[in-house]
Amino acid sequence: MDFDKTIDRDRTGSLKWKKYEGTEILPFWVADMDFRSPEPVIDAMRQRLDHGVFGYTLAEKKCEEAVVEYLEQKHDWKIQSEWLIWTPGLVPALNLACRAYADPGDGIMTLTPVYYPFLSAPEYANQELQAVPLVLNSGTKEWEIDFDALEKKVTDRTKVFILSNPHNPVGKVFSRNEMEMLAEFVIRQDLVLCSDEIHCDLILNSKPHVCAGTLGDELQNHLIVMLSPSKTYNLAGMSCAYLVIPNPSVRAKFKKVIRGIITEVNCLGYAACEAAYRQGEPWRKQLLQYLESNRELLYSTIDKDMDGVEIYPMDATYLAWLDVRALNLKSPANYFEKHGIGLSEGTNFQGDGFIRLNF
């Protein structure tokens, strides 16, 4: 795979590029890649297109088997196919999970800064956002969970904990110890843990991703794991994601709340998902090498040439969380746009003085 090849995305309806259409601003904001998806995935979609009939589609057994095998082989989690609920995306699923497991006025807890739909979902459901800031360790320069703050923030009305795992935007891979402590907290407080693991196959360091599903049977009674091949294989436009919900009653509540709202996944999405999990691994390994190289270039450039900008160690995703507080900018994103670079404003993640860059 030639990841250096430039592919023109003009006139393709690209959300990423249309934001700055007609300007000279380069888009480094939204989390999609300008790389061509793996050829086996494209071939699988071509074969599905050749069939010529595109009616309402459910996941075939072979697609569900690909997911089951993928989770066991890559993430050491043995699931059953009946635990799966397919959805056109994880953002609507996140919003619906808040409504399935919490009433208006109840609390939804999360760690900030965080991907902004985590912040808006409680608001849309008339629920209370209970945000607990991650803490930057002054010695290691790594982000850590403040478990004391969790204990102080939780109330009797807290019902759901939504977790970005690995974390977007700080790029953190949570350790097994951190995940076990979080699991204990969730179980003790009788919360539902929604673990968004969409970036779990984009680990750039040797730290292993700890899937929430591997933290014991008791947690599985409180658990929703949210997954999709979209970020790893650049398939966001295929609108294919899925939830893994082991507990039948937890699963039934989600199925009830999505009635009349969530539609079937499109047939090409299913084809792409199966092919990505069965045949995409060689491409993914090359991708990770390329992203690691890009990350090192970013590290070195900031260190040598960008006074007032700081980047902390990151383990996962292709989204860099840049600390520009020393520049004292009223709006960092607007400042960089004026210099031709389109970034994501940190304020949208509850990270004032930061910006997010897609490398």
Side-chain angles (χ1 to χ4, degrees):
M1 178 64 192
D2 181 8
F3 289 103
D4 284 321
K5 182 178 181 181
T6 300
I7 299 175
D8 184 3
R9 297 182 69 181
D10 191 26
R11 296 181 299 279
T12 66
S14 166
L15 173 72
K16 179 179 183 176
W17 286 86
K18 285 187 78 69
K19 179 174 181 178
Y20 297 112
E21 192 173 34
T23 76
E24 295 185 357
I25 300 172
L26 293 172
F28 289 86
W29 65 289
V30 73
D32 81 4
M33 300 183 284
D34 292 316
F35 305 140
R36 183 178 171 91
S37 294
E39 288 304 318
V41 174
I42 297 171
D43 290 342
M45 289 191 283
R46 283 200 188 103
Q47 291 176 25
R48 184 63 185 85
L49 282 171
D50 288 343
H51 183 267
V53 179
F54 312 111
Y56 299 115
T57 311
L58 302 176
E60 289 191 82
K61 184 178 180 180
K62 61 180 182 176
C63 184
E64 294 189 334
E65 288 175 345
V67 170
V68 171
E69 292 169 9
Y70 152 76
L71 285 172
E72 183 173 10
Q73 294 170 5
K74 290 287 190 298
H75 298 292
D76 198 29
W77 189 23
K78 189 172 180 59
I79 73 163
Q80 300 174 27
S81 59
E82 55 263 33
W83 297 358
L84 297 173
I85 296 179
W86 295 87
T87 169
L90 292 188
V91 170
L94 178 70
N95 280 266
L96 289 166
C98 290
R99 301 178 189 213
Y101 307 113
D103 295 323
D106 285 342
I108 310 294
M109 185 171 282
T110 194
L111 303 171
T112 54
V114 73
Y115 180 47
Y116 39 85
F118 282 52
L119 305 173
S120 61
E123 177 187 350
Y124 294 157
N126 296 312
Q127 295 161 344
E128 179 189 357
L129 172 66
Q130 297 175 322
V132 178
L134 292 164
V135 176
L136 186 63
N137 185 306
S138 59
T140 65
K141 295 296 185 179
E142 294 187 358
W143 297 92
E144 298 176 349
I145 301 174
D146 186 343
F147 285 97
D148 289 336
L150 290 185
E151 300 290 350
K152 293 177 182 177
K153 180 72 72 169
V154 70
T155 70
D156 291 341
R157 296 210 65 174
T158 308
K159 303 299 181 184
V160 179
F161 194 112
I162 48 180
L163 176 69
S164 181
N165 176 37
H167 194 279
N168 171 17
V170 306
K172 177 179 175 64
V173 172
F174 296 101
S175 69
R176 178 160 291 276
N177 181 59
E178 288 174 302
M179 290 296 291
E180 288 174 348
M181 291 175 66
L182 188 59
E184 188 278 330
F185 173 80
V186 165
I187 293 166
R188 175 164 43 84
Q189 298 292 343
D190 194 22
L191 309 181
V192 173
L193 174 63
C194 295
S195 183
D196 177 354
E197 305 193 8
I198 198 169
H199 294 281
C200 66
D201 294 318
L202 293 169
I203 309 298
L204 305 181
N205 287 348
S206 57
K207 294 182 180 179
H209 168 70
V210 181
C211 175
T214 65
L215 297 172
D217 293 342
E218 190 172 4
L219 181 64
Q220 292 198 16
N221 291 322
H222 298 257
L223 183 63
I224 297 175
V225 177
M226 311 171 75
L227 293 151
S228 172
S230 61
K231 295 301 180 193
T232 303
Y233 299 99
N234 207 24
L235 297 169
M238 289 296 100
S239 298
C240 179
Y242 58 93
L243 313 184
V244 187
I245 309 180
N247 181 277
S249 62
V250 177
R251 193 164 60 248
K253 284 184 178 181
F254 189 84
K255 285 184 175 180
K256 183 178 180 180
V257 81
I258 69 175
R259 290 182 301 187
I261 298 174
I262 291 291
T263 63
E264 297 82 4
V265 171
N266 77 76
C267 58
L268 295 180
Y270 287 127
C273 179
E274 180 188 354
Y277 285 160
R278 292 199 185 280
Q279 300 172 273
E281 185 63 8
W283 183 94
R284 187 184 75 91
K285 288 181 177 178
Q286 292 182 58
L287 170 71
L288 293 181
Q289 292 178 355
Y290 194 88
L291 293 179
E292 287 169 359
S293 176
N294 280 2
R295 182 189 58 176
E296 294 308 312
L297 176 60
L298 190 60
Y299 281 162
S300 63
T301 301
I302 289 173
D303 182 55
K304 293 177 183 177
D305 302 323
M306 300 182 72
D307 291 340
V309 180
E310 190 167 4
I311 184 171
Y312 306 118
M314 56 174 298
D315 308 310
T317 82
Y318 46 78
L319 304 166
W321 189 236
L322 306 182
D323 186 345
V324 295
R325 289 175 292 182
L327 299 179
N328 294 314
L329 301 171
K330 183 176 180 181
S331 173
N334 287 345
Y335 174 85
F336 281 90
E337 281 182 356
K338 291 176 183 178
H339 293 79
I341 304 296
L343 305 172
S344 295
E345 185 71 80
T347 303
N348 296 332
F349 302 78
Q350 283 199 5
D352 293 355
F354 286 78
I355 48 176
R356 194 187 72 170
L357 181 149
N358 174 347
F359 60 82

